[in-house]
RNA sequence: CGGGGUGUAGCGCAGCGGCUAGCGCGCAUGGUUUGGGACCAUGAGGUCGGAGGUUCGAAUCCUCUCACCCCGACCA
């Protein structure tokens, strides 16, 4: 490709709306253009990267036994009603009506469509297992798109669905996908860590996310300072610090005028927050639910929602709390009736707690579970914090941020039951197909790579996904010798099968070199009167400082070898 | 959805009640240049996000509205 013909333009200045580094660099390099909030056009350079990422994914999916197909973006809304996910997806689902006022939606994911498809074609255990995938545009009406390509409303996703006869088969498919994903990130030159993830309320058993670790990431990862435990904070568990259990004292009412928050209560009474009980209220599928937790912990809403197994979940408004006869600020699990109560297991790690008395400006001392109140469920609903104990080995937990670049998920039989995808096993018994799903967002993978690999001058693409492998950069192009030899080298490189961007512009050296750095093409070749004097060209890796000279005669072949060597290195590191 | 911010030329910004709206970059033409974002000359390019209002007069003040960005909520 000749630079003079390339559509897109590099920018010197940082666009005002771009905040994240990848966003800034991708715009400045002329790879993406924003059309609306969370909606982008991919310009030729950016699209080449996405196509290469797609190809790597495709190869690894095929290698793992996947079959590529293509499902529709446009989906009947009824299908989502069948699974019930029209509610759980809520406003994130883009919906529209056709000319007959028939309701449709734009696919945010394809479990429903593919389960229905597999239901149609699979009747016997002999048809299983199956690994089906597609690379396709997804639509999600995110409440807040952000960070350029990091969170968008329209994006390209590889989604694979596994169909097995049982849990053992699912485990196998799952492991196969985990390995394939590791290969993909390795080939793309992106470092990732595998962390346990929330599996949601739809009956999934196990789920993992592939994270690229960076402060720019919006996910928080809790990991162990000693062992290999790592989990998304939504999922992370910990060993909660135990308090000395004292002999239970008798319940005592204390006047606490104007005292509402845990800190105020703890200060007023003169105890530590961990000697108090905190109340949190939520609305789960319309039902007010009371959650109680030790005062030094916070409620993890994801865990709570999962535990309640509800479709719609939100925190309750103050008015709703009062309507239920509870006193905000002095709400208490003691003596409440007809309200579902969920308790964090931290309330069993301690005694003689201070809690609300459900009476204005009044608290109780010496509240003990289960003597003074009952809970319908006692489970872990706490947010795990750095500093807590690792659930595996007890060592200290730490926290970091990451970008989720892939998600693998054991779905189980939720969709197959909802959509009637059953098969007959060897004994002629009808069973639901056991499913898994596995997703990678291509733009996000691209953006994460830029976040990982750049310097103050621009992007540094790994050879495997760079838009071009070589940046051919002749200087003093009005010198006829330079220009004719550059043209020749351009031809030779292309004959060798090297992907080359030929900067045929009659720009100053500074402009060309800066653009070369900004675009991040892995290998730069400079050809100038200076190098011609010694019958050579100068080559330099974008990621390195050193330059080397190649003889003009064999330049194309040697460049080809250099590129191949780099690609091989990337593969051998897997 | 709550809080904050920004909309003026392709990009970055200035102008914030008074003549025909400016600057830098980029763009076009001509010339001189070229190892890290050259220079000179000439030129093109704007319904000042939109609507309404106040005023003799609005980019500028007021109201409404739209879009985008950031923080939070949200994100099977």
């Amino acid at each position: 490709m000749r630079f003079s013909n390339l559509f897109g333009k590099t920018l010197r200045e940082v666009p005002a709306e771009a905040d994240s580094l990848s966003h800034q660099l991708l715009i400045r390099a002329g790879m993406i253009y924003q059309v609306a909030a969370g909606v982008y056009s991919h310009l030729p350079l950016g699209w080449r990267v996405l196509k290469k990422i797609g190809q790597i994914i495709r190869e690894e999916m095929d290698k793992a036994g996947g079959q590529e197909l293509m499902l529709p973006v446009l989906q009947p809304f009824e299908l989502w009603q069948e699974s019930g996910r029209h509610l759980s997806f809520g406003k994130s689902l883009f919906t529209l009506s056709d000319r007959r006022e028939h309701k449709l939606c734009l696919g945010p994911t394809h479990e429903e469509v593919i389960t229905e498809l597999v239901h149609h074609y699979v009747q016997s255990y002999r048809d299983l297992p199956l690994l089906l995938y597609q690379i396709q545009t997804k639509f999600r009406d995110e409440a807040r798109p952000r960070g350029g390509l990091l969170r968008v409303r329209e994006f390209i996703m590889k989604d694979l669905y596994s169909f097995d006869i049982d849990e053992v088969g699912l485990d196998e498919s799952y492991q196969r996908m985990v390995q394939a994903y590791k290969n993909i990130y390795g080939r793309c030159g992106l470092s990732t860590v595998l962390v346990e993830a929330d599996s949601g309320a739809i009956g999934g058993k196990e789920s993992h996310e592939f994270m690229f670790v960076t402060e720019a990431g919006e996910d928080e990862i809790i990991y162990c300072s000693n062992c290999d435990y790592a989990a998304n904070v939504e999922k992370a568990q910990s060993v909660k610090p135990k308090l000395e259990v004292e002999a239970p004292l008798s319940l005592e009412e204390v006047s606490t005028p104007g005292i509402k928050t845990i800190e105020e209560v703890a200060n007023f009474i003169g105890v530590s927050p961990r000697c108090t009980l905190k109340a949190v209220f939520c609305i789960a599928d319309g039902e007010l639910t009371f959650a109680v937790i030790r005062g030094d912990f916070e409620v993890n809403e994801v865990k709570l929602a999962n535990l309640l197994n509800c479709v719609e979940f939100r925190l309750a408004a103050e008015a709703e709390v009062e309507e239920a006869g509870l006193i905000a600020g002095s709400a208490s699990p003691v003596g409440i009736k007809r309200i579902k109560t969920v308790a964090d297991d931290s309330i069993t790690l301690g005694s003689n707690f201070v809690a609300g008395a459900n009476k204005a400006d009044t608290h109780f001392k010496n509240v003990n579970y289960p003597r003074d109140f009952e809970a319908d469920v006692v489970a872990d609903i706490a947010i795990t914090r750095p500093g807590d104990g690792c659930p595996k080995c007890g060592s200290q937990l730490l926290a970091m941020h990451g970008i989720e670049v892939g998600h693998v998920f054991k779905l189980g039989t939720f969709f197959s039951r909802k959509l009637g995808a059953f098969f007959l096993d060897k004994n002629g018994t009808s069973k639901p197909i056991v499913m898994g799903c596995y997703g990678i967002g291509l733009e996000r993978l691209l953006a994460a790579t830029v976040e990982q690999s750049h310097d103050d001058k621009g992007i540094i693409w790994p050879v495997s996904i760079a838009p071009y492998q070589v940046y051919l950069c002749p200087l003093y192009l009005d010198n006829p010798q330079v220009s004719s030899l550059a043209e020749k080298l351009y031809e030779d490189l292309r004959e060798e099968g090297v992907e080359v961007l030929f900067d045929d512009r009659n720009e100053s050296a500074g402009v060309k070199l800066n653009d070369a750095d900004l675009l991040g093409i892995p290998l730069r070749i400079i050809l100038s009167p200076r190098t011609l004097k010694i019958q050579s060209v100068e080559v330099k890796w974008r990621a390195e400082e050193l330059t080397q000279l190649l003889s003009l005669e064999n330049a194309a072949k040697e460049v080809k070898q250099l590129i191949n060597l780099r690609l091989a290195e990337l593969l051998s590191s897997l």
Side-chain angles (χ1 to χ4, degrees):
Chain A
M1 169 58 78
R2 287 169 187 273
F3 204 126
S4 61
N5 293 337
L6 181 66
F7 178 71
K9 194 173 279 185
T10 57
L11 296 178
R12 287 189 194 196
E13 287 179 282
V14 179
E17 81 274 7
D19 199 52
S20 74
L21 257 157
S22 59
H23 194 194
Q24 293 178 359
L25 288 172
L26 289 168
I27 292 178
R28 285 188 55 214
M31 299 202 179
I32 59 171
Y33 176 79
Q34 180 169 16
V35 175
V39 181
Y40 289 84
S41 294
H42 300 296
L43 277 51
L45 284 178
W47 182 237
R48 283 182 69 94
V49 177
L50 284 173
K51 281 195 292 188
K52 285 193 172 186
I53 292 173
Q55 188 52 32
I56 288 173
I57 292 174
R58 191 169 275 125
E59 285 169 18
E60 291 298 329
M61 289 298 106
D62 289 346
K63 205 169 88 187
Q67 299 182 58
E68 185 171 2
L69 45 60
M70 195 60 164
L71 303 168
V73 168
L74 210 51
Q75 306 180 3
F77 190 73
E78 288 93 329
L79 216 41
W80 286 74
Q81 288 174 315
E82 270 185 62
S83 70
R85 288 211 298 177
H86 63 302
L87 296 174
S88 54
F89 247 89
K91 285 187 171 171
S92 295
L93 193 63
F94 272 111
T95 55
L96 66 156
S97 297
D98 67 15
R99 62 172 71 204
R100 297 187 187 85
E101 295 299 317
H102 188 108
K103 210 167 171 191
L104 298 160
C105 59
L106 300 178
T109 174
H110 282 73
E111 283 83 3
E112 282 80 0
V113 167
I114 203 160
T115 307
E116 204 265 339
L117 175 70
V118 165
H119 156 70
H120 190 79
Y121 283 94
V122 170
Q123 283 89 37
S124 157
Y125 71 94
R126 292 178 201 273
D127 300 322
L128 299 170
L130 272 176
L131 298 173
L132 302 174
Y133 78 96
Q134 60 174 345
I135 297 179
Q136 191 208 44
T137 304
K138 299 283 192 265
F139 295 85
R140 294 185 188 182
D141 197 358
E142 295 284 349
R144 184 155 94 83
R146 71 182 90 182
L149 294 186
L150 290 175
R151 178 167 294 279
V152 289
R153 296 192 295 170
E154 172 178 337
F155 60 99
I156 304 165
M157 182 174 173
K158 184 288 299 175
D159 45 328
L160 182 143
Y161 303 90
S162 67
F163 301 87
D164 283 280
I165 57 168
D166 56 18
E167 292 289 333
V168 176
L170 172 59
D171 286 348
E172 218 167 278
S173 297
Y174 195 78
Q175 282 317 316
R176 201 182 272 218
M177 279 302 124
V178 166
Q179 185 53 53
Y181 273 37
K182 286 181 178 170
N183 295 346
I184 289 165
Y185 301 121
R187 288 180 62 182
C188 290
L190 185 71
S191 326
T192 59
V193 293
L194 189 60
V195 310
E196 290 181 19
D198 168 51
S199 52
I202 58 168
K205 283 206 175 65
E206 200 180 337
S207 168
H208 288 88
E209 288 163 341
F210 285 86
M211 292 280 190
F212 164 63
V213 174
T214 166
E215 270 315 300
E218 52 181 345
D219 285 294
E220 188 176 349
I221 304 160
I222 298 287
Y223 67 103
C224 180
S225 55
N226 178 50
C227 73
D228 64 352
Y229 181 76
N232 192 308
V233 69
E234 293 174 354
K235 161 84 178 178
Q237 296 177 314
S238 66
V239 181
K240 292 167 188 162
K242 261 189 201 162
L243 305 180
E244 271 180 54
V245 176
E246 304 158 354
L249 305 172
S250 55
L251 204 60
E252 188 183 326
E253 224 178 80
V254 194
S255 170
T256 52
I259 303 291
K260 294 205 184 295
T261 68
I262 284 295
E263 259 171 53
E264 288 166 356
V265 171
N267 274 337
F268 186 83
I269 307 265
V271 294
S272 150
R274 64 194 133 101
C275 300
T276 68
L277 295 179
K278 185 188 295 186
V280 175
F281 309 95
C282 64
I283 307 285
D285 288 341
E287 186 191 354
L288 183 83
T289 304
F290 191 121
V292 56
I293 189 166
R294 211 170 74 190
D296 56 330
F297 285 99
E298 299 288 333
V299 169
N300 179 327
E301 291 171 33
V302 174
K303 285 183 184 176
L304 180 55
N306 288 344
L307 188 67
L308 295 170
N309 198 23
C310 58
V311 175
E312 284 177 297
F313 177 90
R314 63 184 171 82
L315 291 181
E318 203 163 314
E320 291 168 314
V321 174
E322 278 168 21
E323 213 170 287
L326 296 162
I327 311 295
S330 287
S332 174
V334 180
I336 64 163
K337 290 188 181 96
R338 296 193 309 277
I339 296 178
K340 185 166 186 179
T341 304
V342 177
D344 183 64
D345 51 20
S346 58
I347 65 159
T348 63
L349 308 171
S351 55
N352 296 328
F353 289 109
V354 172
N358 244 344
K359 201 155 115 185
D361 299 327
T362 312
H363 281 77
F364 281 130
K365 278 170 83 172
N366 307 328
V367 174
N368 286 285
Y369 176 83
R371 184 191 70 181
D372 302 319
F373 67 97
E374 287 174 22
D376 297 293
V377 193
V378 179
D380 171 37
I381 54 166
I383 296 177
T384 294
R385 304 152 306 187
D388 289 351
C390 171
K392 267 187 167 177
C393 75
S395 303
Q396 196 185 42
L397 289 173
L398 302 171
M400 59 191 180
H401 280 91
I403 297 170
E404 178 194 343
V405 289
H407 198 163
V408 293
F409 199 127
K410 289 186 182 176
L411 295 170
T413 57
F414 179 86
F415 291 98
S416 44
R417 285 178 195 278
K418 290 273 185 192
L419 294 152
F422 289 80
F423 70 98
L424 291 183
D425 71 5
K426 278 182 185 167
N427 307 317
T429 311
S430 181
K431 287 186 172 164
I433 302 176
V434 183
M435 292 174 55
C437 72
Y438 315 84
I440 294 184
L442 272 70
E443 286 95 334
R444 200 182 268 182
L445 176 48
L446 178 150
T449 303
V450 176
E451 292 283 344
Q452 171 188 265
S453 190
H454 67 267
D455 60 18
D456 55 346
K457 294 196 172 110
I459 305 172
I460 304 173
W461 291 111
V463 198
S464 54
I465 61 170
Y468 290 92
Q469 298 167 328
V470 165
Y471 192 91
L472 177 57
C473 186
L475 304 178
Y476 303 89
L477 253 185
D478 51 0
N479 175 325
Q481 216 189 343
V482 170
S483 119
S484 71
L485 284 168
E487 289 288 345
K488 168 118 190 359
L489 184 52
Y490 178 47
E491 280 308 313
D492 290 351
L493 285 166
R494 288 198 298 169
E495 256 172 51
E496 289 293 329
V498 175
E499 299 167 15
V500 44
L501 181 58
F502 176 26
D503 193 344
D504 59 340
R505 301 172 300 169
N506 206 3
E507 290 284 352
S508 72
V511 169
K512 292 176 120 173
L513 296 174
N514 277 303
D515 275 345
D517 286 342
L518 177 59
L519 295 186
I521 312 282
L523 192 69
R524 186 185 76 190
I525 305 179
I526 288 186
L527 197 133
S528 72
R530 201 192 284 179
T531 66
L532 291 189
K533 237 184 245 172
I534 44 174
Q535 288 296 302
S536 53
V537 296
E538 176 196 298
V539 299
K540 175 185 169 299
W541 289 105
R542 173 67 178 85
E544 295 167 14
E545 281 305 314
L546 278 181
T547 60
Q548 57 174 310
L549 294 172
L550 300 180
S551 86
L552 195 53
E553 220 178 329
N554 296 324
K557 282 198 164 55
E558 289 189 45
V559 163
K560 173 75 178 169
Q561 278 172 10
L562 285 172
I563 296 288
N564 283 346
L565 205 65
R566 270 303 147 105
L567 279 170
E569 278 172 20
L570 206 57
L571 281 175
S572 69
S573 65
L574 295 185

